[in-house]
Amino acid sequence: MRSLTFPLLGDDDREPCKMQTSDILKSDSDGNHVQQSIGVAAETSHKKEKSVLQAKLTKLAIQIGYAGSTIAVLTVIILVIQFCIKTFVIEEKPWKNTYANNLVKHLIIGVTVLVVAVPEGLPLAVTLSLAYSVKKMMKDNNLVRHLDACETMGNATAICSDKTGTLTTNRMTVVQSYICEKLCKVLPTLNDIPNHVGTLIAQGISVNSAYTSNILPGQNPGDLPTQVGNKTECALLGFVQGLGVKYQSIRDEITEDKFTRVYTFNSVRKSMGTVIPRPNGGFRLYSKGASEIILKKCAFIYGHDGVLEKFTRDMQERLIREVIEPMACDGLRTICIAYRDFVPSKAAVNEVHIENDPNFDDEENIMSNLTCLCVVGIEDPVRPEVPDAIRKCQRAGITVRMVTGDNINTARSIASKCGILKPNEDFLILEGKEFNRRIRDSNGDIQQHLIDKVWPKLRVLARSSPTDKYNLVKGIIDSTVSENREVVAVTGDGTNDGPALKKADVGFAMGIAGTDVAKEASDIILTDDNFSSIVKAVLWGRNVYDSIAKFLQFQLTVNVVAVIVAFIGACAVQDSPLKAVQMLWVNLIMDTLASLALATELPTPDLLLRKPYGRTKPLISRTMMKNILGQAFYQLIIIFGLLFIGDWLLDIESGRGQELGAGPTEHFTIIFNTFVMMTLFNEINARKIHGQRNVVEGLFTNPIFYTIWIFTMISQVIIIQYGKMAFSTKALSIDQWLWCVFFGIGTLVWGQVVTSVPTRKLPKILS
């Protein structure tokens, strides 16, 4: 048996500062810091299992191979037995060496049956469809790194998406600020702020940020300034510029080589700090980060007119309740700016007197008793095309979840604007700590049955770490809640997203904001960092699946008819009505040419109106099986009718009973030509696999299809009229051609009849 080998269908939501690979941290259930020594490399090294489509195709190819081999062997055996009985028993002729030629021709017929039965064009159709889709997806901002990800997206049932840059524009601006107990919903100027407070804010933002973050003027007049580097830091730098201060002048005075210590951002700390020397001796620490985290570390705050006040617990709660929560509910990311001084001389109430350099390794002590300078609200608008894209996903049976490092109120607001959260819907919105509490047992170990109670209703996971994201993805994939294992897609841009991207069935890395580690762990790179591009990936993935199904529907119809005709012909007339060279031409039509024609069909929006196929649904649906058997029935009736009464019907000499190897006849040429005509017109039927009646819809949107169809038709005319002995054909008259075309067009009419048969009433054997 010949075998077929199928080709291997081979965010941390950026917080307000930079993240370096050397600072990759992950959190255990208690929130402790655990340094990843191997970390991302270990988690991203595992191999993914065989893709859904590849597994189904491999199984189908094996089944077809066994069936084809069996029929081919039976055909040869029957032909040989019939020849021996006729020659040596009935006619009682002695053996002649020339009889070996007859036996070889019988063997050739058997091999030809096997060639036709085994779908050699299937791997070609898979490769062509994937390659064509990958090329087209590039235009839709999807850079496919692994071919199998393309078709896997067609079966996606869940998407875990970042917020910043994916659902939002990632062009951040400060739109609200709270300074000296004054809430401003417009950008203040230095005249609105006490001088010493304004100076500290400007210096704290300018120095305590990556110097690679910059705001550059637009290339053309009227263009918005270009944000380079971390977008949150760019928003803060824009705030400094709005105050009327040039941040670059401050950086020129305090260069990076003057930094005493830098506490870089990570997913657990959710803040960053920079220590610089003071002009009069000592050190100053600037800190910025998630507002509720920084405020807990503050002991002082500047009140009215810049007067320093103690920051009591009641004041903290009031600030969170009256300022931070309303900002977050408006979809704003809240950032707190704070500082602390270490001085060698007599210290003020908010300063620390030191005799020697502080122990900067004691981060917990250094980052405490801070003085709050301000809280700002940063807006990152939802991309205008995202709500519609999410509606399309939900209509297509795909659940979208947001996994973000933002405040839970901010996440809820953005999720509502995007359409992830709907009114009156029973859903869960959890923070990372609560998520960990729910999925771990008393020993702190993650339990699958506990995750299964959370993820079905979970829509937003806020204040999450990359480890939380990985645990969620793994929990959904390994779930035992549903019969069909979920197919999960994940987006990520940070280095720590690597494990989640690798664990997912399809990992999407951000092409603009993504790190090299994230891109390496991904299957597809979004070159525009836009969620709507994921919807296009789903569309193309489903189109790949359907293109393969169209090819199978077409090819299996030809397989069934050709094999049965050869087998019955061998039994009934001791010869195959379709000669070996003719069947090889048919094989070329249905393999190479058909795979190219049907594998290049463009996707239609209708693909997003159905649920995903899932992992266990058969590749050949009941509707497809109905079409295959229905068309095979029609074609077999026509061919056998022509075989047994065609000579009488068309008033031509019969081709039955001729000596093996005799010249071509009009009778068998008409049978061959009719078969090809029916195959060609059925190729148009095969473009629809879900019971659609309008089989010519979109026919002329695919020039590859109709070019190949016309080329095949012209080639058939040449073969019939001029093939002679080479193709065992005899030139036909116009009337005979019209009969052949008439029977071919009949497949289109018969296709409407087959479509009218209710699929649900078919026997279960077709499912």
Side-chain angles (χ1 to χ4, degrees):
M1 184 192 77
R2 296 193 306 163
S3 62
L4 297 181
T5 303
F6 289 93
L8 285 177
L9 307 176
D11 147 344
D12 50 78
D13 261 349
R14 301 239 169 173
E15 292 290 347
C17 46
K18 61 189 176 183
M19 180 176 68
Q20 299 178 358
T21 306
S22 58
D23 295 289
I24 299 171
L25 297 172
K26 65 180 179 180
S27 171
D28 62 11
S29 58
D30 297 320
N32 299 321
H33 297 188
V34 182
Q35 186 71 34
Q36 288 186 95
S37 56
I38 309 175
V40 174
E43 292 285 5
T44 59
S45 61
H46 78 279
K47 294 182 180 179
K48 294 183 180 180
E49 64 184 37
K50 185 182 292 185
S51 72
V52 179
L53 181 59
Q54 186 186 357
K56 291 179 179 180
L57 287 174
T58 301
K59 180 180 178 181
L60 179 64
I62 292 173
Q63 293 172 340
I64 293 175
Y66 281 126
S69 300
T70 302
I71 295 176
V73 171
L74 286 176
T75 302
V76 174
I77 292 174
I78 290 172
L79 285 172
V80 171
I81 291 175
Q82 286 182 335
F83 173 77
C84 292
I85 292 174
K86 178 183 177 183
T87 305
F88 303 123
V89 176
I90 298 176
E91 298 179 358
E92 297 182 351
K93 293 181 180 179
W95 170 261
K96 297 179 182 178
N97 291 335
T98 55
Y99 291 160
N101 293 332
N102 296 70
L103 298 178
V104 169
K105 289 177 181 178
H106 294 151
L107 183 61
I108 290 175
I109 292 174
V111 172
T112 305
V113 170
L114 180 61
V115 168
V116 174
V118 176
E120 305 92 337
L122 198 48
L124 177 62
V126 174
T127 304
L128 283 173
S129 183
L130 288 172
Y132 180 76
S133 298
V134 165
K135 181 181 177 182
K136 292 292 185 179
M137 286 174 71
M138 187 62 195
K139 295 180 180 179
D140 287 336
N141 302 305
N142 285 272
L143 176 60
V144 180
R145 298 183 65 249
H146 302 134
L147 281 179
D148 62 321
C150 182
E151 63 89 3
T152 303
M153 270 310 296
N155 290 308
T157 58
I159 299 176
C160 296
S161 174
D162 285 341
K163 177 183 76 65
T164 304
T166 308
L167 301 176
T168 59
T169 61
N170 202 21
R171 183 176 181 82
M172 301 190 184
T173 53
V174 174
V175 294
Q176 294 187 31
S177 62
Y178 179 81
I179 305 173
C180 297
E181 295 190 21
K182 183 179 180 182
L183 178 63
C184 297
K185 296 197 175 182
V186 294
L187 284 181
T189 64
L190 278 180
N191 296 329
D192 302 321
I193 306 172
N195 186 57
H196 64 288
V197 176
T199 301
L200 286 168
I201 291 173
Q203 189 179 69
I205 292 174
S206 303
V207 171
N208 187 32
S209 61
Y211 277 24
T212 54
S213 296
N214 284 288
I215 299 178
L216 304 178
Q219 294 181 351
N220 302 310
D223 288 351
L224 291 172
T226 303
Q227 296 182 341
V228 179
N230 185 282
K231 304 303 181 182
T232 307
E233 290 184 342
C234 288
L236 294 172
L237 293 174
F239 177 66
V240 171
Q241 287 184 333
L243 294 176
V245 179
K246 294 182 179 179
Y247 69 86
Q248 192 57 48
S249 299
I250 299 173
R251 288 179 170 181
D252 291 340
E253 293 178 8
I254 307 173
T255 55
E256 287 182 291
D257 59 342
K258 295 181 180 178
F259 290 177
T260 303
R261 185 66 178 262
V262 175
Y263 300 97
T264 53
F265 170 80
N266 64 56
S267 57
V268 177
R269 187 186 288 135
K270 293 198 179 294
S271 65
M272 82 169 288
T274 302
V275 180
I276 61 173
R278 284 166 46 96
N280 299 323
F283 304 93
R284 174 169 290 166
L285 163 72
Y286 284 115
S287 179
K288 75 171 185 287
S291 55
E292 61 267 41
I293 292 177
I294 296 295
L295 286 176
K296 290 179 181 179
K297 300 177 180 179
C298 290
F300 305 93
I301 190 171
Y302 284 107
H304 285 294
D305 300 323
V307 177
L308 189 67
E309 300 177 1
K310 278 191 171 293
F311 194 35
T312 63
R313 181 65 63 183
D314 289 341
M315 292 173 66
Q316 288 184 22
E317 292 176 356
R318 181 171 58 83
L319 181 59
I320 291 174
R321 184 175 62 254
E322 297 180 2
V323 177
I324 293 175
E325 287 185 357
M327 283 186 182
C329 289
D330 288 338
L332 305 183
R333 170 181 287 178
T334 56
I335 305 296
C336 179
I337 311 296
Y339 83 104
R340 186 183 189 188
D341 279 337
F342 302 86
V343 297
S345 56
K346 185 177 180 180
V349 291
N350 68 327
E351 296 175 338
V352 180
H353 175 69
I354 57 171
E355 297 292 342
N356 301 305
D357 289 355
N359 179 16
F360 290 117
D361 290 331
D362 186 3
E363 181 185 337
E364 186 175 350
N365 184 49
I366 294 294
M367 300 278 282
S368 63
N369 294 315
L370 304 176
T371 300
C372 177
L373 291 170
C374 68
V375 174
V376 296
I378 298 177
E379 182 182 45
D380 186 10
V382 173
R383 291 180 183 267
E385 64 273 19
V386 162
D388 183 57
I390 288 179
R391 278 194 299 273
K392 288 180 180 178
C393 283
Q394 292 167 340
R395 191 165 58 240
I398 303 171
T399 302
V400 181
R401 295 177 175 83
M402 178 197 292
V403 183
T404 176
D406 269 352
N407 176 293
I408 191 169
N409 291 316
T410 304
R412 180 187 284 109
S413 175
I414 297 296
S416 297
K417 291 177 181 178
C418 292
I420 295 175
L421 300 180
K422 295 182 179 179
N424 305 320
E425 186 181 81
D426 184 19
F427 52 73
L428 277 177
I429 304 175
L430 298 178
E431 286 189 328
K433 288 183 179 178
E434 175 64 15
F435 175 71
N436 271 286
R437 188 188 68 77
R438 292 194 181 200
I439 66 172
R440 297 178 187 270
D441 59 18
S442 56
N443 297 322
D445 297 325
I446 298 174
Q447 299 296 331
Q448 183 61 48
H449 72 277
L450 295 177
I451 298 180
D452 288 343
K453 294 179 180 179
V454 174
W455 73 259
K457 292 185 178 181
L458 182 66
R459 293 296 179 271
V460 176
L461 184 58
R463 282 285 178 248
S464 62
S465 70
T467 307
D468 297 333
K469 188 174 186 176
Y470 174 81
N471 290 335
L472 173 62
V473 173
K474 185 176 185 297
I476 296 175
I477 291 176
D478 296 342
S479 173
T480 57
V481 171
S482 57
E483 295 180 3
N484 296 332
R485 182 172 79 78
E486 298 285 314
V487 179
V488 183
V490 170
T491 69
D493 60 4
T495 301
N496 271 351
D497 287 323
L501 289 170
K502 200 69 177 179
K503 179 64 179 176
D505 294 288
V506 182
F508 287 88
M510 303 297 109
I512 300 172
T515 63
D516 289 342
V517 173
K519 292 175 183 177
E520 184 64 28
S522 69
D523 301 294
I524 299 175
I525 296 175
L526 298 177
T527 56
D528 62 348
D529 291 12
N530 194 336
F531 183 87
S532 62
S533 297
I534 299 177
V535 180
K536 294 174 183 174
V538 173
L539 190 66
W540 279 105
R542 293 190 174 187
N543 189 61
V544 167
Y545 202 98
D546 278 13
S547 294
I548 304 305
K550 291 172 186 176
F551 175 76
L552 278 172
Q553 178 173 285
F554 170 71
Q555 188 183 49
L556 291 180
T557 304
V558 183
N559 281 4
V560 170
V561 174
V563 170
I564 292 178
V565 167
F567 181 74
I568 300 297
C571 298
V573 296
Q574 292 77 51
D575 188 11
S576 172
L578 301 174
K579 307 305 180 185
V581 68
Q582 295 173 352
M583 293 182 76
L584 291 176
W585 164 238
V586 171
N587 196 53
L588 178 64
I589 296 174
M590 71 180 187
D591 276 357
T592 310
L593 299 179
S595 62
L596 185 59
L598 294 172
T600 53
E601 289 278 306
L602 293 173
T604 61
D606 294 346
L607 291 171
L608 295 178
L609 298 180
R610 61 168 174 79
K611 302 297 182 185
Y613 280 126
R615 292 179 173 271
T616 58
K617 187 173 181 179
L619 184 59
I620 302 174
S621 66
R622 296 180 74 174
T623 301
M624 288 172 60
M625 185 62 75
K626 177 183 72 174
N627 294 337
I628 291 169
L629 296 182
Q631 288 294 339
F633 174 78
Y634 169 81
Q635 293 185 25
L636 288 171
I637 291 296
I638 297 298
I639 290 175
F640 285 128
L642 289 174
L643 176 62
F644 294 110
I645 63 172
D647 52 331
W648 169 79
L649 181 67
L650 300 176
D651 192 21
I652 55 178
E653 184 182 353
S654 175
R656 299 187 305 275
Q658 288 197 350
E659 290 291 329
L660 197 63
T665 63
E666 287 181 332
H667 186 192
F668 278 15
T669 300
I670 290 174
I671 293 175
F672 165 57
N673 197 34
T674 300
F675 178 47
V676 172
M677 290 298 107
M678 291 189 295
T679 298
L680 274 176
F681 283 99
N682 189 47
E683 192 171 356
I684 299 175
N685 280 327
R687 295 178 60 254
K688 306 298 179 182
I689 58 173
H690 299 296
Q692 302 97 319
R693 286 193 174 275
N694 188 359
V695 294
V696 297
E697 181 184 7
L699 180 65
F700 296 103
T701 61
N702 184 8
I704 297 177
F705 180 91
Y706 62 73
T707 300
I708 289 176
W709 196 93
I710 293 171
F711 168 77
T712 308
M713 178 66 80
I714 294 173
S715 300
Q716 178 67 14
V717 172
I718 295 172
I719 288 173
I720 294 297
Q721 297 302 115
Y722 306 104
K724 298 182 180 179
M725 293 299 296
F727 282 89
S728 297
T729 59
K730 192 171 184 178
L732 301 179
S733 66
I734 295 295
D735 290 345
Q736 292 167 340
W737 264 102
L738 289 175
W739 275 109
C740 296
V741 173
F742 172 76
F743 291 130
I745 295 175
T747 61
L748 297 176
V749 179
W750 181 253
Q752 298 299 309
V753 176
V754 173
T755 303
S756 301
V757 177
T759 306
R760 293 180 180 177
K761 294 184 179 181
L762 295 177
K764 289 186 177 180
I765 190 173
L766 299 184
S767 62

